[in-house]
Amino acid sequence: MFCRESLIKVSEPQILPFFKPVNYVEVLAQIHEELESCHPSERADLYLLQFQVFKGLGEVKLMRRSLYSGWLKASTVHEKIVFGAWLKYEKQGEEVISDLLSSCGKCTREYVALDITSELPADVSSSSPVDTMMNLNHVSRNVCFHFGNEKVVCDRQKIAGLSAPFHAMLNGCFAESLFEDIDLSQNCISPLGMRMISDFSLTGSLNEAPPNLLLEVLVFANKFCCERLKDACDRKLASLVSSSQDAVELMEYALEENSPVLAASCLQVFLHELPDSLHDNQVVELLSNVNREHRPIMVGRASFSLYCLLSEVSMNLDPTSDKATTFLEQLVDSAETSWQKLIAYHQLGCVRLLRKEYGEAERLFEAAVNAGHVYSVVGLARLGHIKGQDLWSYEKLSSIISSYTQLGWMYQERSLYCEGDKWWEDLEKATDLDPTLTYPYMYRAASLMRKQNVVGALAEMNRILGFKLAIECLELRFCFYLALEDYKSAICDVQAILTLSPNYRLFEGRVPASQLRTLVREHVTNWTTADCWLQLYDRWSSIDDIGSLSVIYQMLESDAAKGVLYFRQSLLLLRLNCPEAAMRSLQLARQYASSEHERLVYEGWILYDTGNCDEGLRKAEESISLKRSFEAFFLKAYALADSSQDPSCSSTVVSLLEDALKCPSDRLRKGQALNNLGSVYVDCGKLDLAADCYINALKIRHTRAHQGLARVHFLRNDKTAAYEEMTRLIEKARNSASAYEKRSEYCERELTKADLEMVTRLDPLRVYPYRYRAAVLMDNHKEKEAIAELSRAIAFKADLHLLHLRAAFHEHVGDVLGALQDCRAALSVDPNHQEMLELHSRVNSQEP
């Protein structure tokens, strides 16, 4: 089908256009410290910087929380518009959640368009001009303005009161002050417009009028410095902006006539419709060509925030596009602080490099490095490679490695410029320092595959896919299987890819994954519906989550109940730490629900999974009122157990789970219900009942029940039986890191240490092993080693518990500044963590 060599190609690692400080803990701590003492007007910018740090760490939830904080603490309407639009953009595809919350009487305010006219107060100077009146005894009370053959009669003093120029003209030393008839035909105002101005001079308000007439009056008001009239036009026009086309037509006037309310209203419409609005060339031209004089009119002090958002959206659409470049140029021009400059330089450098504009890219990366962004040296090294200066690139990276705290990306980048087989050593070091980097696994695997070491190549890919479901790793393993003509395994991986990203394209975007799946399917046996269910039971029971995803994908092609299958898919994706894909599957489950009561259950899970537990509970109750079903009772039990702090609710949860088990369902879900019921019984001290539940769950192949049964053995003081039970789970489970971690609780220290080392090998993102090893080292008075163990994980994972423990260790050894830094960084991760707040308060009082 394809030549073998083309299937095992691994592209160079992408230069990420993100802010990646060498010591993110220090930066987060600094931001937290500044947030505690800064002026309210500076908070939104600080939350934007915090967002950029979390983006560089890949922490999606924390990124969104920073954006929400920026929106909440915005001190200007422009900041509110930008951060609100950014939140809406980040939550694309989640509009159903907002609709569900609205149906529950709970509004997501950040989604709602602002009433700009009320948010921007009028700032109009007094309209009473200086008294320079002449003797007006012989001047008529009225003045007649002529427009060719038409005339408009106005109250002289009311018109004079509109502005100082009118006052001077009608009451001052100008000849017009003695005239009853004045020709205004050369002043860009029509008789209709003048009548509108006359009415305003008498009433102080504008009548309803079409936009073109309001624009005419606005221009006239600006020309004659009629501030109250101008403000009224500005606001009236702003209230008429309801579509992108309206905004396009009015934005230019808003900027030329210095109309901030109208400009903000137009901007809000553009941003509210992202990313679609950036497909309109007129919108792009308006936003990208705003000069320094006009930027404050459009966006106040939030220029940098605005162009950060527009740059991100345009880069996501096409990082090599002209619009991405022009928005980033505006970002550079808007940058004021050092951190703003280094982010802007680095991002524009990345885009210039992709566009092969190497000279400009080099200048920008150098500027970013000089501003303090060490990661931008990757761009310089890559440019050195393009020039054929690999030795220079190697030495540049070596200098960075010897000058700063060593990080995985440094060794990963240096490996590109190594001579001979030295790259392997650098990639091993990169993985040791940051096991989340995918390129080292992929490159090692491809190298092994070229050497016909199939077992080693697949082991490398399985190693990372065991804890990180990276789509590029699934793609490479799929390619390996193709090269090996192992079509059964290949179909599994490509169906998992399509589950994660239905429109994914392989081979550097050249071939749709769906097309490759069609080709591969010709080489595998088609399963009947019964075959699919048997395969799903087998894979679910062996905790083969990727295999289970693949089977469900195949089942969705049949006429089976799609709502149920999409729901199962969402459960697997959550287990695989793919929350966005899981939410998409839940929404599809809701869309394909076969009944009202089934739809309510899926809506309940959507609400529960987005932190709206009470609303999810109500959906479960609504569903039960329509029909008693397994899933409705299960949801209610799950939500109630999570939301209630009252110990007496355990009996209610037990009753609900028993009701669920009486309803029809398949063994997969019944096993889960039995497992949950066993957990409740354990918490209540009813160990015999708990053991019965776990044993019954195991009888229907709910493999995870071994863990619950092990806990029962342990609570019965039978540690050996608990250890053996967990060993059975390890033998059955395809993904066994959590099982090793749990088993470590049931053995002696040396075996515990061995199990936790295995956990770290299988899933280096699990934090308990690092904490345990650090605690043991601390008990043995090896303080430096204990802190180093925690630092090893903190380098690639911003985890509250790791930071908390390291802060406590720093305090213990008298390093107050180190403890304070960790406390502040931890509070950036969770600002409301009570123990962390107490530790921070205690350490803060010790600061010299």
Side-chain angles (χ1 to χ4, degrees):
M1 193 187 298
F2 299 96
C3 74
R4 179 181 291 264
E5 189 64 27
S6 68
L7 293 176
I8 54 176
K9 181 182 177 184
V10 176
S11 300
E12 289 178 345
Q14 181 190 0
I15 302 175
L16 300 172
F18 306 146
F19 178 38
K20 293 181 72 67
V22 170
N23 187 346
Y24 75 85
V25 173
E26 182 182 3
V27 177
L28 286 177
Q30 185 182 343
I31 294 168
H32 186 272
E33 185 179 11
E34 289 183 32
L35 282 168
E36 289 182 319
S37 58
C38 72
H39 190 274
S41 65
E42 298 171 355
R43 285 179 184 157
D45 278 347
L46 287 168
Y47 281 118
L48 178 57
L49 175 56
Q50 190 184 76
F51 164 84
Q52 297 287 359
V53 176
F54 287 136
K55 189 173 183 66
L57 291 167
E59 296 286 352
V60 176
K61 283 186 179 178
L62 299 179
M63 284 161 49
R64 289 188 178 182
R65 203 202 55 224
S66 295
L67 286 179
Y68 182 75
S69 298
W71 176 82
L72 209 57
K73 300 296 183 182
S75 61
T76 69
V77 65
H78 301 102
E79 288 174 345
K80 267 241 187 302
I81 290 170
V82 173
F83 280 92
W86 207 329
L87 280 165
K88 185 174 184 292
Y89 172 73
E90 285 287 329
K91 295 182 178 182
Q92 287 176 89
E94 296 181 19
E95 291 79 7
V96 66
I97 301 165
S98 183
D99 294 342
L100 287 175
L101 287 172
S102 297
S103 72
C104 299
K106 200 172 180 181
C107 183
T108 49
R109 292 180 299 147
E110 64 271 24
Y111 279 6
V112 179
L114 298 173
D115 177 5
I116 305 295
T117 55
S118 64
E119 292 279 345
L120 275 174
D123 182 21
V124 181
S125 56
S126 172
S127 59
S128 301
V130 180
D131 188 3
T132 57
M133 290 178 63
M134 296 174 65
N135 183 354
L136 302 176
N137 293 336
H138 302 294
V139 180
S140 168
R141 177 183 175 182
N142 292 330
V143 62
C144 186
F145 293 109
H146 287 261
F147 303 87
N149 295 328
E150 288 192 60
K151 60 182 181 179
V152 178
V153 178
C154 303
D155 185 305
R156 179 183 289 271
Q157 296 312 315
K158 293 295 185 183
I159 295 295
L162 288 176
S163 71
F166 268 127
H167 185 273
M169 181 174 78
L170 298 175
N171 292 336
C173 51
F174 287 89
E176 286 87 349
S177 63
L178 300 174
F179 296 168
E180 292 183 12
D181 296 282
I182 299 173
D183 185 6
L184 276 188
S185 58
Q186 302 302 312
N187 285 280
C188 302
I189 190 74
S190 66
L192 197 58
M194 196 64 217
R195 288 190 187 95
M196 195 171 175
I197 294 167
S198 178
D199 290 343
F200 179 82
S201 73
L202 296 170
T203 65
S205 61
L206 286 171
N207 298 324
E208 293 301 319
N212 60 331
L213 186 58
L214 286 168
L215 285 169
E216 183 184 309
V217 174
L218 174 68
V219 173
F220 183 86
N222 211 18
K223 182 176 181 180
F224 285 91
C225 305
C226 305
E227 294 302 324
R228 283 191 305 114
L229 176 60
K230 178 190 166 188
D231 182 68
C233 287
D234 189 7
R235 292 171 187 279
K236 181 70 79 172
L237 283 163
S239 69
L240 300 178
V241 180
S242 60
S243 69
S244 188
Q245 191 54 45
D246 292 339
V248 165
E249 291 170 1
L250 293 171
M251 178 62 98
E252 205 166 334
Y253 284 99
L255 298 177
E256 287 300 325
E257 302 303 327
N258 189 12
S259 301
V261 184
L262 177 57
S265 296
C266 295
L267 178 65
Q268 177 171 243
V269 170
F270 294 149
L271 299 188
H272 206 69
E273 294 180 5
L274 288 172
D276 294 343
S277 54
L278 293 193
H279 295 300
D280 185 329
N281 290 334
Q282 288 179 294
V283 173
V284 172
E285 191 173 343
L286 278 168
L287 293 173
S288 59
N289 292 332
V290 181
N291 59 37
R292 288 189 180 186
E293 182 186 347
H294 286 161
R295 271 204 305 257
I297 300 169
M298 180 177 73
V299 72
R301 299 195 313 269
S303 289
F304 188 81
S305 302
L306 169 65
Y307 287 106
C308 252
L309 168 59
L310 293 174
S311 299
E312 177 166 323
V313 177
S314 57
M315 284 194 289
N316 287 343
L317 291 171
D318 179 3
T320 63
S321 65
D322 290 342
K323 62 186 156 204
T325 307
T326 52
F327 285 140
L328 283 165
E329 286 170 345
Q330 286 279 18
L331 185 68
V332 169
D333 197 47
S334 302
E336 295 177 354
T337 65
S338 58
W339 72 262
Q340 288 177 342
K341 288 176 181 176
L342 67 84
I343 288 171
Y345 292 146
H346 179 70
Q347 289 189 338
L348 184 53
C350 290
V351 167
R352 295 289 190 197
L353 180 59
L354 288 172
R355 288 164 63 96
K356 299 184 178 179
E357 297 167 359
Y358 299 134
E360 268 299 293
E362 185 172 15
R363 182 185 67 79
L364 288 158
F365 284 132
E366 282 178 349
V369 171
N370 292 336
H373 194 231
V374 177
Y375 177 71
S376 294
V377 79
V378 172
L380 294 174
R382 210 67 67 90
L383 286 162
H385 171 67
I386 290 166
K387 294 175 185 175
Q389 300 171 353
D390 280 10
L391 179 60
W392 181 88
S393 297
Y394 182 88
E395 289 173 348
K396 190 77 174 172
L397 267 300
S398 297
S399 173
I400 294 296
I401 287 168
S402 62
S403 304
Y404 295 92
T405 302
Q406 294 178 7
L407 296 173
W409 64 259
M410 299 174 182
Y411 283 95
Q412 173 178 273
E413 186 64 24
R414 194 176 72 169
S415 73
L416 302 177
Y417 318 115
C418 289
E419 292 181 354
D421 290 336
K422 289 182 181 178
W423 59 265
W424 185 280
E425 187 179 327
D426 270 5
L427 288 182
E428 285 289 346
K429 185 68 174 177
T431 297
D432 183 52
L433 291 170
D434 185 353
T436 67
L437 295 171
T438 58
Y439 174 80
Y441 301 93
M442 294 171 69
Y443 194 85
R444 286 191 298 261
S447 175
L448 290 166
M449 196 69 174
R450 290 190 194 97
K451 295 174 181 176
Q452 308 298 313
N453 186 347
V454 174
V455 173
L458 290 174
E460 278 290 342
M461 300 318 301
N462 294 339
R463 183 176 161 198
I464 187 164
L465 287 168
F467 68 90
K468 183 177 181 178
L469 193 56
I471 202 163
E472 66 271 21
C473 295
L474 274 174
E475 176 181 349
L476 185 60
R477 191 171 71 174
F478 165 74
C479 292
F480 288 174
Y481 287 136
L482 277 188
L484 296 168
E485 299 183 5
D486 180 355
Y487 299 117
K488 187 177 176 182
S489 298
I491 196 76
C492 177
D493 278 356
V494 78
Q495 288 179 166
I497 287 169
L498 286 164
T499 300
L500 292 171
S501 179
N503 300 315
Y504 191 76
R505 301 175 72 89
L506 287 84
F507 304 116
E508 298 177 336
R510 293 194 298 272
V511 186
S514 55
Q515 185 178 325
L516 284 167
R517 176 181 178 267
T518 303
L519 293 172
V520 173
R521 279 200 67 179
E522 296 174 6
H523 299 271
V524 294
T525 306
N526 284 328
W527 289 337
T528 64
T529 301
D531 291 333
C532 286
W533 276 108
L534 286 171
Q535 288 290 332
L536 185 58
Y537 279 127
D538 284 343
R539 297 180 190 215
W540 200 289
S541 299
S542 62
I543 315 180
D544 175 8
D545 294 333
I546 294 175
S548 299
L549 274 184
S550 176
V551 175
I552 289 176
Y553 185 91
Q554 192 159 329
M555 293 172 78
L556 282 164
E557 287 194 329
S558 69
D559 295 328
K562 284 186 168 55
V564 172
L565 290 170
Y566 277 121
F567 177 58
R568 300 295 166 82
Q569 191 181 75
S570 74
L571 296 176
L572 285 165
L573 289 165
L574 276 178
R575 212 151 72 189
L576 288 161
N577 196 28
C578 301
E580 291 178 10
M583 184 54 65
R584 186 175 64 243
S585 296
L586 255 185
Q587 291 183 29
L588 287 167
R590 175 180 181 260
Q591 181 182 327
Y592 285 100
S594 59
S595 63
E596 177 72 4
H597 72 84
E598 184 185 342
R599 181 179 62 78
L600 287 165
V601 168
Y602 302 144
E603 289 181 353
W605 279 113
I606 289 170
L607 290 164
Y608 175 83
D609 286 345
T610 51
N612 300 284
C613 191
D614 292 339
E615 290 75 14
L617 198 55
R618 286 203 291 273
K619 290 288 183 181
E621 289 165 350
E622 282 183 60
S623 181
I624 291 168
S625 70
L626 293 176
K627 183 178 179 180
R628 294 167 65 86
S629 70
F630 174 91
E631 292 298 352
F633 280 119
F634 188 92
L635 168 60
K636 186 175 180 182
Y638 201 93
L640 188 64
D642 186 47
S643 63
S644 177
Q645 304 299 317
D646 184 0
S648 64
C649 89
S650 295
S651 58
T652 308
V653 174
V654 166
S655 176
L656 288 166
L657 288 171
E658 287 174 342
D659 284 337
L661 288 163
K662 292 172 188 171
C663 298
S665 187
D666 59 69
R667 289 182 297 168
L668 295 176
R669 296 299 284 154
K670 291 217 171 187
Q672 184 65 62
L674 285 164
N675 199 58
N676 288 14
L677 185 56
S679 296
V680 179
Y681 280 138
V682 168
D683 292 340
C684 297
K686 299 176 180 179
L687 299 184
D688 290 343
L689 289 172
D692 289 342
C693 287
Y694 292 130
I695 290 166
N696 287 331
L698 287 170
K699 285 177 181 175
I700 53 175
R701 299 181 65 192
H702 186 77
T703 310
R704 292 176 190 272
H706 283 295
Q707 185 167 316
L709 194 54
R711 189 179 172 203
V712 170
H713 290 315
F714 179 72
L715 292 171
R716 287 172 171 168
N717 295 318
D718 192 345
K719 210 172 177 181
T720 303
Y723 183 88
E724 290 170 353
E725 200 66 47
M726 290 308 301
T727 302
R728 293 186 191 100
L729 175 55
I730 289 167
E731 289 167 352
K732 293 179 183 177
R734 181 82 174 260
N735 299 320
S736 56
S738 63
Y740 276 106
E741 184 173 294
K742 198 66 186 174
R743 191 177 73 169
S744 72
E745 298 176 21
Y746 307 135
C747 48
E748 300 306 319
R749 177 167 282 194
E750 283 306 311
L751 288 175
T752 296
K753 185 179 176 183
D755 272 0
L756 292 180
E757 286 294 345
M758 178 61 78
V759 173
T760 300
R761 277 200 295 278
L762 294 173
D763 184 355
L765 298 181
R766 300 185 77 90
V767 300
Y768 173 73
Y770 302 99
R771 292 167 61 202
Y772 178 88
R773 288 190 290 264
V776 170
L777 288 164
M778 204 67 177
D779 287 345
N780 293 331
H781 306 291
K782 296 179 178 178
E783 291 87 354
K784 285 184 179 179
E785 291 88 341
I787 290 170
E789 179 65 25
L790 295 173
S791 300
R792 172 185 164 199
I794 289 169
F796 59 84
K797 187 173 176 66
D799 181 79
L800 173 73
H801 303 292
L802 293 171
L803 288 165
H804 186 187
L805 189 57
R806 192 172 73 171
F809 286 2
H810 279 310
E811 183 193 26
H812 177 75
V813 299
D815 182 359
V816 174
L817 292 178
L820 200 54
Q821 186 176 98
D822 281 350
C823 285
R824 287 169 174 160
L827 288 170
S828 299
V829 174
D830 183 355
N832 302 312
H833 191 268
Q834 194 56 45
E835 288 181 39
M836 203 68 248
L837 287 166
E838 290 169 5
L839 178 58
H840 177 253
S841 177
R842 187 172 71 242
V843 174
N844 205 23
S845 65
Q846 302 170 35
E847 187 180 9

